[in-house]
Amino acid sequence: MAEKLIRVLVAKPGLDGHDRGAKVVARALRDAGMEVIYTGLRQTPEQIAAAAVQEDVNVVCLSLLSGAHNHLFPKVVQLLKEKDAGDILVVGGGVIPDADIPYLKENGIAEIFTPGTPTSKAIEFITSHVQ
Amino acid sequence: MELLKEARNGNKRAIARLITLAESEAEEASHALQQLYAYTGGAHIVGITGPPGSGKSTLTDKIVKKLRKEDKKVAILAVDPTSPFTGGAILGDRVRMSDLNLDEGVYIRSLGTRGKLGGLSKAVHYATKILDACDYDYIFIETVGVGQSEVDIVKTADTTIVVMVPGLGDDIQAIKAGILEIGDLFIVNKSDRDGANRLSIELQMMLDLNAVKSEWTPPINMTVASKSEGVDEVVEKIKNHFVYLQESGELTVRRRQRLETEIIDLVIQKLTTYMTKKMSKEGSYEEELNRVFNKETDPYTLVNKMLNESLK
Ligand SMILES: Nc1nc2c(ncn2[C@@H]2O[C@H](COP(=O)(O)OP(=O)(O)O)[C@@H](O)[C@H]2O)c(=O)[nH]1
Ligand SMILES: [Mg+2]
């Protein structure tokens, strides 16, 4: 408990209307002792970046079920950099084809968690990558 | 200090960093807070409390939108003291305020339990001071009404709004005596639902019974926050209350009192931290505790001894 409290923004960009996945992640992170700020459905990258800055989170966790990750994920990273917040760790989760992962990593997404990845993996990754 | 200058220039990244530093009581933060203090006092601090799900966040969102039309700078502290003591929490108030994310004149920060007693109210205190010094005209503090924690937090506010809703079970459930005393403004939200009128009447009766002599009679407003109904009137009342506070001299009295409690609280907290650290470092504490447990000495002697030693 003496260690630093990790704050994570869990955001759901894009237009699909399901946030079950995001909520499961949020709960797992909370149970691991993190403070999770949940922002709800259908957030634009601009809204996500603004919220991440105001909340001064260590991590932004993006969750997306359908499609537009190649556009939306890097956009969040870029906006954070513009706001002088490039040090915030950005990770992504959801239905993301293996073929897209290298591109996302090249564009600043630290790690991608595809369905089936145990949440403990994500927790481990976050804990070891937040300085 | 660069961060301080940036924050006072309205850079939200800098404001957010400062609040984090203050929350963790970093050395840099205490320096910043010392410097900021001179700039505080300009903001109208409004507390919003009530049961979970009563519409506090929705209402705050609507009130703030109205104030933004008048070009006021507004900050919101969304406080959730209900999270368990694992240190973890899910803070979801922003969900109802997404539209405000991109508004340059709005800053929103979510705060959870810090795992320690008193940690949260201290965090709220620091955050409020920082935002006040960064020239926000209004600071809204939303907190779930669950007992002592909200009363503590509400003490930070100039104006306290208590939100109630019909249909939470046994009518007067939420109208605990303590809640009546802290409210400057009462809102019956979800008044699109059955029982709103009755709740409002019952509340009025309770307030009449409870009435303390004051020139300010706490008004009751009916709202449908999700449809923005009644919100303009609430904003009006918030402003009226501030005018009342100023003209009656009550503002000075309250703020002077608040300052006193704040200072005492801070002293107690610092002393606690100091003593706990000192005792665990010296290592004799465990031993002493055992001696008390074995009735070789008594708690009162030990406490006096501890006090004398740490104040040397
Ligand atoms: N029917 C009705 N629902 C409302 C009203 N105000 C808020 N809500 C809904 O009540 C739920 C809880 O609102 P929220 O603002 O999160 O409550 P909080 O927990 O007090 O902050 C949400 O689904 C809102 O849309 C209202 O006036 N009428
Ligand atoms: Mg809320």
Side-chain angles (χ1 to χ4, degrees):
Chain A
M1 271 260 228
E3 67 218 61
K4 194 179 126 190
L5 186 68
I6 298 176
R7 278 167 68 88
V8 189
L9 187 88
V10 172
K12 182 81 191 50
L15 296 176
D16 59 290
H18 296 279
D19 62 353
R20 238 189 54 194
K23 282 185 171 161
V24 170
V25 172
R27 264 182 239 123
L29 297 178
R30 175 199 59 194
D31 293 342
M34 299 180 200
E35 208 160 79
V36 178
I37 292 106
Y38 182 65
T39 58
L41 289 166
R42 299 194 187 88
Q43 298 290 294
T44 65
E46 285 78 7
Q47 286 176 316
I48 293 168
V53 164
Q54 292 175 33
E55 296 287 355
D56 194 29
V57 291
N58 311 98
V59 186
V60 171
C61 186
L62 300 168
S63 161
L64 191 60
L65 288 182
S66 60
H69 50 267
N70 279 345
H71 167 63
L72 294 172
F73 287 11
K75 181 86 188 170
V76 172
V77 174
Q78 181 210 328
L79 289 164
L80 285 173
K81 281 191 181 136
E82 282 169 18
K83 289 172 184 287
D84 199 22
D87 56 310
I88 297 176
L89 189 75
V90 180
V91 297
V95 189
I96 291 159
D98 286 347
D100 290 347
I101 295 179
Y103 171 80
L104 292 171
K105 288 196 172 172
E106 268 161 41
N107 284 280
I109 318 298
E111 192 56 278
I112 295 290
F113 302 101
T114 47
T117 318
T119 45
S120 59
K121 266 262 165 63
I123 291 163
E124 213 180 281
F125 183 86
I126 290 173
T127 318
S128 61
H129 282 76
V130 168
Q131 59 286 64
Chain B
M1 195 176 161
E2 201 50 41
L3 201 54
L4 192 67
K5 220 161 66 201
E6 290 277 306
R8 292 214 65 233
N9 280 335
N11 178 336
K12 289 186 189 170
R13 173 83 174 145
I15 294 173
R17 296 291 306 144
L18 264 187
I19 294 178
T20 307
L21 288 171
E23 271 185 313
S24 56
E25 306 211 275
E27 207 52 54
E28 305 133 271
S30 86
H31 186 64
L33 286 164
Q34 285 164 353
Q35 306 236 305
L36 282 173
Y37 180 72
Y39 303 105
T40 59
H44 180 185
I45 301 165
V46 183
I48 299 192
T49 191
S54 55
K56 299 179 296 297
S57 299
T58 313
L59 198 62
T60 306
D61 176 67
K62 299 291 161 53
I63 292 172
V64 170
K65 278 180 183 146
K66 168 85 178 156
L67 288 169
R68 287 297 298 146
K69 285 198 189 123
E70 302 165 16
D71 221 24
K72 302 290 184 202
K73 271 180 73 179
V74 189
I76 302 165
L77 296 174
V79 182
D80 191 346
T82 58
S83 43
F85 281 92
T86 56
I90 296 181
L91 308 171
D93 292 314
R94 288 194 88 100
V95 174
R96 315 265 174 244
M97 308 180 190
S98 307
D99 296 348
L100 299 175
N101 276 349
L102 295 177
D103 187 333
E104 250 327 293
V106 178
Y107 175 88
I108 309 174
R109 176 78 170 225
S110 315
L111 300 168
T113 27
R114 313 305 291 186
K116 279 181 265 168
L117 196 66
L120 186 57
S121 54
K122 203 162 45 175
V124 172
H125 164 87
Y126 290 143
T128 309
K129 285 283 182 276
I130 292 166
L131 293 163
D132 190 350
C134 291
D135 296 333
Y136 282 89
D137 299 303
Y138 288 88
I139 301 170
F140 285 86
I141 304 174
E142 176 193 336
T143 171
V144 187
V146 285
Q148 192 53 44
S149 52
E150 96 266 18
V151 178
D152 279 352
I153 287 158
V154 147
K155 276 195 225 145
T156 320
D158 300 312
T159 300
T160 297
I161 303 179
V162 174
V163 182
M164 294 182 181
V165 281
L168 270 193
D170 281 337
D171 330 326
I172 304 289
Q173 36 40 56
I175 316 183
K176 298 169 281 184
I179 237 61
L180 287 178
E181 274 136 33
I182 62 173
D184 299 305
L185 237 81
F186 290 85
I187 292 180
V188 174
N189 189 39
K190 305 200 182 182
S191 59
D192 50 335
R193 294 200 175 158
D194 283 351
N197 275 321
R198 205 182 68 197
L199 175 61
S200 161
I201 291 164
E202 282 172 343
L203 183 57
Q204 189 63 63
M205 279 165 51
M206 298 281 285
L207 284 174
D208 290 344
L209 281 173
N210 214 56
V212 273
K213 272 239 289 288
S214 161
E215 289 157 63
W216 177 261
T217 314
I220 301 172
N221 278 71
M222 311 265 278
T223 57
V224 185
S226 47
K227 292 184 190 149
S228 281
E229 285 172 30
V231 172
D232 289 3
E233 289 78 357
V234 173
V235 172
E236 208 50 47
K237 297 282 163 56
I238 292 173
K239 291 180 180 168
N240 288 349
H241 185 248
F242 200 63
V243 171
Y244 155 76
L245 288 175
Q246 283 176 315
E247 288 179 350
S248 63
E250 182 71 15
L251 188 66
T252 317
V253 174
R254 281 194 191 197
R255 287 188 171 182
R256 181 77 173 56
Q257 254 168 18
R258 201 198 301 158
L259 180 65
E260 194 178 339
T261 353
E262 282 168 0
I263 286 178
I264 292 173
D265 283 351
L266 288 173
V267 168
I268 292 173
Q269 278 156 5
K270 286 230 157 162
L271 215 57
T272 313
T273 319
Y274 170 76
M275 284 192 61
T276 325
K277 257 199 205 134
K278 192 178 156 94
M279 275 158 29
S280 56
K281 210 162 47 204
E282 284 169 1
S284 61
Y285 177 56
E286 280 296 317
E287 236 168 82
E288 297 275 10
L289 211 60
N290 281 336
R291 290 189 53 215
V292 175
F293 192 72
N294 295 329
K295 303 255 161 66
E296 288 162 38
T297 177
D298 64 278
Y300 319 103
T301 309
L302 176 59
V303 168
N304 282 336
K305 189 176 153 200
M306 275 161 50
L307 261 177
N308 286 333
E309 275 174 13
S310 42
L311 295 179
K312 258 184 219 158

